Amino acid sequence: MNSLVKPQRVKVAVATPTAPDGGYAWFVLLSCFLVFGLTFGVIKAFGVFYVEIHQYFETTATGTSWITSIAVATIHIVAPVASALSARYSHRSVVILGGLICSIGVIIGSFAHNLIGLYFTVGFLNGFGYALTWTPTVTMLGLYFEKRRPVANALASAGECILTFLLTPLIQLLIDSFSWRGALLIVGGLQLNLCVCGMLLRPLKGTRHKSHASDVKAEEEGMNLESLTKDDSEQSKHCLEEVGQRLPEGSDQRKVKKGYSLEELDEKPTTIDSKRRAKRTELRTKILQYVDYTLITNARFMVYSMFGVFAALGFFAPALFLVPYARSKGIEEYQAAALMSISAVFDLFGRVFFGWVANLRLVKTVQQLTATVILLGTVLLLCPLASSFPELAAFSAAYGLVFGATVAIHITVLAEVVGVQRLGSALGFFMLIRSSGGLLGPPIAGFFIDKMSDYGTGFLMAGVALIISALFLLLLHQMNRREQRSTQKTHDMQLDNMGQTFSAEAKELDVTLTMEK
């Protein structure tokens, strides 16, 4: 009697998606461009709010700086969560959610009655939303671009410069017209555009290959599987009988008889241990799909993360204190705000130009990053020498140019350290580790400003932190060279072994031919 063949489940193999480096990738680049502008661009323009909030609540420089500090730290800490949520759901939905959260946080913050309220809304909620928007978008950009990745990262990060250039005088105008509360309310509404950025993110799909089998082949495979199971069952029974015969007659363990079933065999301790190991392996595999925690064992990644910690100490303080520093030197409001616009213009040029230079591969990207970080630290150390508007404008131009050159390639270096397939988790962990620097940078600078009663000391602290961060980049470069030498040595040894094997075979062939002659 012929039995019906049950439909077999057909496994679908999905090929690894390839980066198109064009087409819809440009819309993803546009989305990332706007995300950079509406997140870090707003943070850099917050220096205009700093002066007004500082005077309104009559607080210290350290107390006011905690607003930006909490936002920056939250971005970094929540980045791994954003990566995991993107892997579990989708990049698009996570970015839309983040846009709603940060917009609501800033809008509620415009009604805050004390600094604690601003810490929670403009600081924590806003930073939480930024993390959910920035991290998935940058990850998606890395997947869509490969050959043009340095240029793509540079163009995307240019959104931070352009929005800073536009928002700084605009926010000053809004503050003069509607007070800092009204200006903050309008900025919160503007950040709803982050939801539109999320809608532009389309998943990069791979080619799906389905293996179709006929019913006859499926039936034959089922028969083969059944016969294989029977053979295994008979071998297991035979082995169990032999073990039972070797055990003592009175032993409780001699309960293995000829009819011992495979279900009873599964209850043995060794099988239970193997099941537990299989469950642990399965759980580990599921976790790694969302968060690649093995990155913390990667020495090169951890060294690069330490660079990020010290770099974050100096990255965010200058943008926050540039306008207050200019105001303390007697520069009028709109001229002080114009300094941020000057910095943003040169920042834009630095990102695009040095991103293009990195794409030429004239030097190794980590070497280029080391040089720009050292230059940035040096420029910040020279800032207290500027006091007039022309001098401050020159400093702003130099600071923006070198800052743009640094930011344009630091994500590209991260992709080279861990590989593009691990970029999502690596970016999350990198931001998490760097969070300590982002959290402590502005308050430490504010502490020195309060003690010395001079905003210039904040720039000195930032410059020293960046010089220290460059030391970790030098260490990373040495580790890369050592790894390359080790790889080259292994390759040479393999070639030598192949050559020796070929020579031995040739000699044997010559001996054989000689004997035959």
Side-chain angles (χ1 to χ4, degrees):
M1 184 176 179
N2 295 330
S3 59
L4 294 175
V5 179
K6 295 182 179 180
Q8 302 291 325
R9 289 186 178 180
V10 180
K11 293 185 178 180
V12 179
V14 181
T16 303
T18 56
D21 281 290
Y24 195 81
W26 298 114
F27 286 95
V28 177
L29 176 60
L30 174 63
S31 174
C32 197
F33 175 90
L34 294 174
V35 167
F36 263 97
L38 293 173
T39 55
F40 287 103
V42 174
I43 289 177
K44 292 178 72 173
F46 196 79
V48 182
F49 283 109
Y50 176 92
V51 178
E52 302 298 327
I53 294 174
H54 178 70
Q55 295 176 352
Y56 184 86
F57 290 106
E58 298 179 350
T59 183
T60 61
T62 305
T64 310
S65 66
W66 275 108
I67 301 173
T68 302
S69 180
I70 291 173
V72 171
T74 306
I75 295 173
H76 291 73
I77 293 172
V78 181
V81 178
S83 299
L85 290 175
S86 300
R88 176 63 180 85
Y89 299 101
S90 69
H91 295 77
R92 175 182 293 169
S93 58
V94 173
V95 173
I96 293 174
L97 176 63
L100 291 173
I101 291 175
C102 67
S103 178
I104 292 172
V106 173
I107 290 174
I108 296 175
S110 64
F111 300 98
H113 297 290
N114 50 46
L115 282 178
I116 302 298
L118 289 175
Y119 292 161
F120 179 72
T121 55
V122 183
F124 175 72
L125 286 180
N126 194 29
F128 192 91
Y130 283 173
L132 296 184
T133 55
W134 186 82
T135 310
T137 309
V138 173
T139 303
M140 183 70 76
L141 184 70
L143 295 176
Y144 265 89
F145 286 92
E146 182 177 1
K147 296 179 181 178
R148 301 173 179 172
R149 187 176 298 138
V151 173
N153 285 328
L155 291 175
S157 63
E160 176 183 335
C161 315
I162 294 178
L163 266 293
T164 302
F165 174 79
L166 297 175
L167 287 176
T168 305
L170 176 62
I171 290 174
Q172 185 64 60
L173 178 62
L174 292 175
I175 289 174
D176 293 340
S177 303
F178 307 106
S179 79
W180 67 269
R181 293 186 183 276
L184 203 60
L185 182 65
I186 294 173
V187 170
L190 183 65
Q191 288 182 326
L192 281 173
N193 288 285
L194 289 169
C195 300
V196 180
C197 297
M199 295 176 186
L200 288 175
L201 298 181
R202 189 170 69 186
L204 185 61
K205 297 180 181 180
T207 306
R208 303 176 66 87
H209 303 284
K210 295 185 179 180
S211 55
H212 298 279
S214 61
D215 294 341
V216 177
K217 186 176 180 180
E219 186 176 359
E220 289 176 354
E221 290 178 353
M223 293 172 63
N224 293 334
L225 180 61
E226 184 179 358
S227 61
L228 180 62
T229 305
K230 288 182 179 180
D231 292 340
D232 291 341
S233 177
E234 290 175 1
Q235 291 179 2
S236 300
K237 290 178 183 178
H238 182 66
C239 293
L240 290 170
E241 288 175 7
E242 290 183 354
V243 172
Q245 291 173 1
R246 293 176 184 176
L247 291 174
E249 190 69 31
S251 174
D252 292 337
Q253 296 180 359
R254 186 171 181 178
K255 297 179 180 179
V256 184
K257 297 183 180 180
K258 192 172 182 179
Y260 210 97
S261 63
L262 289 177
E263 288 76 12
E264 294 172 314
L265 178 63
D266 290 338
E267 296 176 1
K268 288 295 177 182
T270 55
T271 309
I272 295 175
D273 291 340
S274 63
K275 282 186 175 181
R276 290 176 179 174
R277 287 194 297 269
K279 288 182 179 179
R280 285 196 295 268
T281 303
E282 183 181 359
L283 178 61
R284 181 173 178 270
T285 304
K286 287 182 178 180
I287 294 175
L288 287 174
Q289 289 178 355
Y290 305 122
V291 180
D292 189 358
Y293 59 86
T294 59
L295 285 166
I296 61 177
T297 62
N298 188 324
R300 294 166 62 236
F301 171 74
M302 294 306 296
V303 169
Y304 191 71
S305 297
M306 291 307 300
F307 150 74
V309 171
F310 284 92
L313 285 172
F315 267 173
F316 302 101
L320 181 62
F321 294 118
L322 180 58
V323 174
Y325 175 72
R327 295 280 292 273
S328 69
K329 295 297 181 180
I331 308 298
E332 62 100 12
E333 295 177 356
Y334 282 94
Q335 282 186 331
L339 292 175
M340 288 300 302
S341 297
I342 294 172
S343 175
V345 170
F346 282 88
D347 189 354
L348 172 62
F349 177 77
R351 293 181 192 228
V352 176
F353 177 76
F354 287 98
W356 172 73
V357 171
N359 207 66
L360 295 177
R361 313 289 181 181
L362 300 176
V363 296
K364 293 183 178 179
T365 316
V366 66
Q367 291 177 315
Q368 181 178 334
L369 181 62
T370 306
T372 57
V373 169
I374 293 174
L375 283 174
L376 181 59
T378 304
V379 169
L380 291 175
L381 291 175
L382 296 175
C383 173
L385 300 178
S387 57
S388 64
F389 179 76
E391 293 173 346
L392 285 171
F395 162 76
S396 299
Y399 165 71
L401 180 67
V402 188
F403 183 85
T406 303
V407 175
I409 57 176
H410 79 286
I411 295 177
T412 303
V413 175
L414 178 61
E416 293 176 354
V417 169
V418 301
V420 67
Q421 296 301 326
R422 306 172 76 185
L423 179 60
S425 292
L427 188 60
F429 274 108
F430 177 74
M431 298 286 284
L432 176 63
I433 297 171
R434 202 176 75 167
S435 63
S436 58
L439 176 65
L440 298 177
I444 291 176
F447 172 78
F448 285 111
I449 291 170
D450 290 333
K451 289 295 182 182
M452 305 298 294
S453 298
D454 183 10
Y455 280 99
T457 56
F459 292 91
L460 294 177
M461 186 280 298
V464 171
L466 284 165
I467 297 295
I468 295 174
S469 71
L471 299 178
F472 289 96
L473 291 177
L474 292 173
L475 177 60
L476 176 63
H477 178 56
Q478 293 300 319
M479 294 173 70
N480 289 341
R481 291 180 60 184
R482 191 182 302 115
E483 184 177 352
Q484 289 175 358
R485 285 196 298 265
S486 177
T487 304
Q488 185 64 35
K489 185 177 180 180
T490 304
H491 180 67
D492 293 341
M493 291 177 61
Q494 291 176 350
L495 290 178
D496 291 340
N497 292 335
M498 292 175 62
Q500 292 174 3
T501 303
F502 179 77
S503 299
E505 291 177 353
K507 289 180 181 179
E508 291 179 0
L509 182 60
D510 290 340
V511 171
T512 304
L513 293 175
T514 303
M515 293 176 65
E516 289 179 353
K517 288 180 180 180

